[in-house]
Amino acid sequence: MVVENNASQAQDSYLASFSDFILEAQSRYTEADWKRERVYETLHAISIALEMRRKILNVHRSELAAKVGILRKDIIAMDLVDYFPSFDKVVEIADELGFEIVIRNRKA
């Protein structure tokens, strides 16, 4: 039982130190950094959703690219969250895959 207690304390101190590390790292972020991070997280989520839908529908990258007028390598780069075409092309891709783009005010 002492071993379990020591292990638990070690784990707790590890989590505390990791949490402190995260808080310290976050304290260095500026407001602009946070905005970029939110944009990146959103793009990542969009990218995953588009890629998964494309795969479920069994639509090949080259087929999707041809339908919306971009290159296959651009679809690959989107899948890797390495590149996003213009917003109008993202809307076309989303529409082609059966998604609807909704823009609304964030809750404050």
Side-chain angles (χ1 to χ4, degrees):
M1 183 147 190
V2 173
V3 173
E4 287 179 16
N5 192 19
N6 288 342
S8 175
Q9 287 175 346
Q11 187 178 23
D12 290 345
S13 65
Y14 167 76
L15 291 175
S17 64
F18 184 72
S19 295
D20 292 342
F21 173 74
I22 295 296
L23 289 172
E24 196 275 327
Q26 289 175 343
S27 70
R28 296 182 193 169
Y29 271 50
T30 64
E31 185 175 339
D33 292 332
W34 283 116
K35 286 180 182 178
R36 275 192 301 278
E37 190 66 27
R38 275 197 310 270
V39 167
Y40 181 78
E41 287 176 13
T42 302
L43 290 175
H44 191 166
I46 291 168
S47 178
I48 289 170
L50 293 175
E51 180 182 14
M52 296 307 295
R53 179 65 64 93
R54 181 182 60 73
K55 288 179 177 181
I56 288 169
L57 297 174
N58 200 26
V59 175
H60 296 279
R61 288 172 174 146
S62 55
E63 180 184 351
L64 181 58
K67 285 182 179 181
V68 298
I70 62 175
L71 301 173
R72 178 180 173 271
K73 72 179 181 102
D74 294 336
I75 299 293
I76 293 169
M78 279 181 55
D79 288 351
L80 299 172
V81 196
D82 224 11
Y83 161 81
F84 261 81
S86 61
F87 184 72
D88 62 321
K89 290 297 177 184
V90 173
V91 171
E92 280 185 63
I93 291 167
D95 187 54
E96 193 64 44
L97 295 174
F99 283 106
E100 178 182 5
I101 304 289
V102 177
I103 297 175
R104 63 175 179 241
N105 287 331
R106 260 194 324 241
K107 294 179 183 175

